[in-house]
């Protein structure tokens, strides 16, 4: 399918999906494999790396600091020649993180401790609106010097590399990006650092840093306290990236809500800090099954099967939110087709994602006839609502684009989606997979 940036994409309503799909590599794990490989000694070989815009931004920033990263092509392994913990070169230009919050936040942590070197990070219009003080503030407690617009909150951000000291830091939000930035900074601090989260966020950094040889301990209720003791050097590893459950989520919801649907999604990462979506679908009574659960390179993996059936409304809140934070836009679509009123609360973090996802989903799904009420921290969604094809817009957000595509399947009439190309940030083959599954 040819996707033009200018013309809206035509999505016919009332179509069903059948078949098997393999979603691309996990975005969070892909960023980490590149970043940790860069500061390890020796070579890191990555299989299944996500060949999408966000990881390409991370790779480009690393290359600008002297790291050799092989070309990133779908289906081919990527090699990273590590420069060691302190080997990153001062770049001769600003580093462009594109649309990627993970790139910017993890680089802030990684670069803050490169004493004597100067770095400037920027990004696209969306990223330059996103709050960075949540990383720069706690890094400041370790001695970091980061300056930017709005008192250091907004990119472009300048980092004057310092020798950092260890600290005990309680993060105000459960965010894996904040946690990971601090763990990266801790690797070269002068003493141990402990990070305590209010709830568990995805723990890929902890798992992978340990596999690379970092001295890292996890404790506290549910693994919310992480201590890094500096001194250990990292060694290059073979990393196998599983499929991204956040990309699988679009097919899971499409399969659950579309009459006649029957889908198998192969090789999906099932790390418990990411599987909140499966718990909600279970709560809804969806026919979702995990097949062939297995472990691949330290991460649980399985195939998922989903078919259409009646669905109940859901309520989500609290510690579950960080475990499905990226899946809330597509869960809002599922809620429209469930029986009863669904409630999403405690999800104020969605307002500072690539877009304000609560406002954007309320606006765009509303245009399709959804009945939803927006709250400061969530949405209330009336179920059993017929959706109508409409002119909608991703508003540049990849997950909004794909969520609206799922909504279009159950809509009456055609939907026209503006800026469908945004999907390439995390799932470049999404429109081709959609075309294949509906034929
Ligand atoms: C990510 C963490 C999440 C998530 C983002 C990727 C990561 O953000 O929304 O898509 O790779 O660490 P927060 O940690 O800020 O919630």
């Amino acid at each position: 399918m040819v996707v033009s940036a200018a013309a809206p994409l035509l999505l016919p309503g009332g179509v069903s999906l059948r078949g098997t799909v393999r979603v691309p590599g996990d975005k969070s794990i892909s960023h980490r494999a590149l970043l940790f490989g860069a500061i390890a000694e020796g070579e890191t070989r990555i299989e299944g790396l996500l060949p999408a815009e966000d990881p390409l931004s991370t790779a480009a920033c690393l290359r600008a600091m002297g790291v050799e990263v092989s070309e990133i092509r779908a289906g081919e392994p990527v090699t990273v020649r590590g420069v060691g913990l302190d080997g990153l070169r001062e770049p001769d230009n600003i580093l462009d993180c594109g649309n990627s919050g993970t790139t910017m936040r993890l680089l802030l942590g990684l670069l803050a401790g490169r004493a004597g070197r100067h770095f400037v990070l920027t990004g696209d219009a969306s990223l330059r609106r996103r709050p960075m003080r949540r990383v720069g503030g706690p890094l400041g407690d370790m001695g970091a010097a980061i300056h930017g617009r709005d008192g250091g909150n907004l990119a472009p951000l300048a980092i004057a590399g310092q020798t950092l000291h260890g600290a005990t830091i309680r993060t105000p939000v459960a965010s894996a990006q904040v946690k990971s930035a601090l763990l990266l900074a801790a690797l070269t601090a002068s003493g141990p650092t402990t990070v305590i989260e209010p709830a568990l966020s995805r723990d890929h950094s902890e798992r992978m840093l340990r596999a690379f040889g970092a001295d890292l301990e996890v404790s506290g209720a549910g693994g919310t306290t992480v201590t890094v003791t500096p001194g250990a050097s990292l060694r290059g590893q073979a990393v196998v990236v599983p499929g991204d459950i956040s990309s699988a989520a679009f097919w899971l919801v499409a399969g659950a809500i579309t009459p006649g649907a029957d889908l198998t999604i192969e090789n999906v990462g099932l790390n418990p800090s990411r599987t909140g979506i499966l718990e909600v679908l279970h709560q809804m009574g969806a026919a979702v099954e995990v097949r062939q659960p297995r472990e691949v390179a330290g991460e649980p993996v399985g195939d998922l099967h989903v078919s259409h059936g009646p669905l109940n409304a859901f309520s989500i809140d609290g510690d579950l939110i960080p475990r499905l934070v990226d899946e809330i836009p597509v869960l809002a679509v599922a809620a429209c087709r469930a029986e009863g009123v669904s409630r999403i609360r405690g999800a104020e973090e969605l307002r500072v994602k690539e877009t304000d996802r609560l406002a954007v989903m309320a606006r765009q799904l509303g245009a399709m006839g959804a009945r939803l009420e927006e709250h400061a921290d969530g949405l209330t969604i009336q179920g059993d609502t017929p959706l109508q094809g409409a002119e909608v817009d991703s508003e540049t957000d990849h997950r909004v684009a794909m969520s609206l595509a799922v909504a279009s399947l159950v809509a009456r009439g055609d939907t026209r989606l503006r800026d469908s190309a945004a999907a390439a940030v995390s799932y470049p083959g999404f429109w081709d997979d959609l075309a294949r599954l509906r034929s």
Side-chain angles (χ1 to χ4, degrees):
M1 185 183 296
V2 177
V3 178
S4 146
L9 181 67
L10 177 70
L11 296 162
V15 290
S16 193
L17 302 183
R18 297 186 81 79
T20 297
V21 60
R22 224 178 152 81
V23 289
D26 187 281
K27 183 155 82 68
S28 295
I29 297 177
S30 295
H31 284 297
R32 287 158 174 80
L34 291 168
L35 291 163
F36 302 172
I39 54 166
E41 277 157 26
E43 191 175 280
T44 288
R45 186 174 190 278
I46 311 166
E47 252 179 74
L49 186 105
L50 169 66
E53 286 170 12
D54 268 13
L56 290 178
S57 295
T58 293
C61 291
L62 291 170
R63 289 190 189 111
M65 294 184 284
V67 181
E68 273 178 50
V69 182
S70 69
E71 218 180 300
I72 296 174
R73 287 201 208 95
E76 288 182 22
V78 173
T79 53
V80 181
R81 202 168 291 282
V83 295
L85 275 178
D86 202 37
L88 293 173
R89 212 170 61 202
E90 184 175 82
D92 60 13
N93 204 342
I94 55 174
L95 298 170
D96 186 357
C97 303
N99 188 245
S100 176
T102 308
T103 305
M104 183 169 283
R105 294 196 174 119
L106 269 58
L107 278 180
L108 282 170
L110 185 61
L111 302 179
R114 311 276 73 81
R117 275 156 275 178
H118 171 76
F119 310 88
V120 181
L121 302 180
T122 194
D124 70 6
S126 151
L127 189 53
R128 281 183 276 116
R129 282 193 293 266
R130 296 180 66 185
M132 296 296 147
R133 190 178 291 119
R134 53 179 54 202
V135 181
L139 284 173
D141 296 342
M142 299 174 72
I146 297 170
H147 298 279
R149 294 183 299 132
D150 186 30
N153 193 34
L154 299 177
L157 294 168
I159 305 165
Q162 308 289 321
T163 300
L164 303 179
H165 48 82
T168 295
I169 296 163
R170 284 182 182 277
T171 60
V173 281
S175 158
Q177 294 179 350
V178 175
K179 171 174 65 178
S180 304
L182 297 170
L183 299 179
L184 283 169
L187 292 172
T188 55
S190 59
T193 294
T194 298
V195 182
I196 306 164
E197 291 197 277
L200 182 69
S201 65
R202 63 194 67 190
D203 66 354
H204 305 300
S205 292
E206 293 92 306
R207 288 173 187 248
M208 206 190 289
L209 277 174
R210 215 194 252 135
F212 271 77
D215 183 347
L216 181 147
E217 234 176 79
V218 178
S219 59
T224 49
T225 300
V226 190
T227 300
V228 168
T229 305
S233 51
L234 307 187
R235 287 176 307 278
Q237 299 293 312
V239 179
V240 182
V241 182
D244 198 326
I245 191 166
S246 297
S247 296
F250 302 109
W251 305 126
L252 288 171
V253 171
I257 66 172
T258 312
D262 187 282
L263 293 173
T264 301
I265 310 141
E266 290 178 341
N267 186 43
V268 181
L270 297 175
N271 179 313
S273 63
R274 298 284 299 282
T275 48
I277 174 85
L278 298 182
E279 288 161 39
V280 176
L281 287 169
H282 189 74
Q283 196 188 121
M284 298 178 79
V288 177
E289 225 181 87
V290 178
R291 294 181 177 169
Q292 300 192 338
R294 51 204 186 264
E295 183 143 323
V296 179
E299 292 276 349
V301 169
D303 301 334
L304 301 174
H305 180 263
V306 60
S307 56
H308 174 251
L311 297 172
N312 307 314
F314 62 85
S315 282
I316 57 174
D317 197 355
D319 291 0
L320 182 57
I321 298 295
R323 297 178 51 237
L324 47 65
V325 66
D326 292 337
E327 288 67 78
I328 290 174
V330 78
L331 279 173
V333 177
C336 295
R337 303 304 303 137
E339 181 89 17
V341 179
S342 293
R343 292 186 175 81
I344 300 167
R345 295 290 184 278
E348 59 277 2
E349 272 296 296
L350 263 74
R351 296 205 179 273
V352 291
K353 295 293 178 188
E354 285 82 333
T355 58
D356 176 344
R357 286 181 174 158
L358 296 178
V360 174
M361 287 309 292
R363 195 156 46 233
Q364 299 300 330
L365 273 183
M368 298 180 78
R371 291 175 295 159
L372 23 72
E373 195 187 330
E374 191 184 332
H375 311 284
D377 68 338
L379 298 168
T380 299
I381 304 162
Q382 303 288 331
D384 239 345
T385 304
L387 297 179
Q388 281 121 39
E391 177 107 16
V392 292
D393 194 333
S394 73
E395 303 194 31
T396 76
D397 189 320
H398 55 128
R399 300 203 197 279
V400 172
M402 293 182 274
S403 299
L404 294 172
V406 172
S408 77
L409 297 170
V410 292
R412 197 152 14 88
D414 293 345
T415 292
R416 284 183 173 71
L417 172 62
R418 287 197 181 283
D419 201 356
S420 57
V425 160
S426 62
Y427 196 160
F430 179 81
W431 303 112
D432 290 336
D433 283 346
L434 176 62
R436 195 171 49 76
L437 292 170
R438 72 181 171 207
S439 55

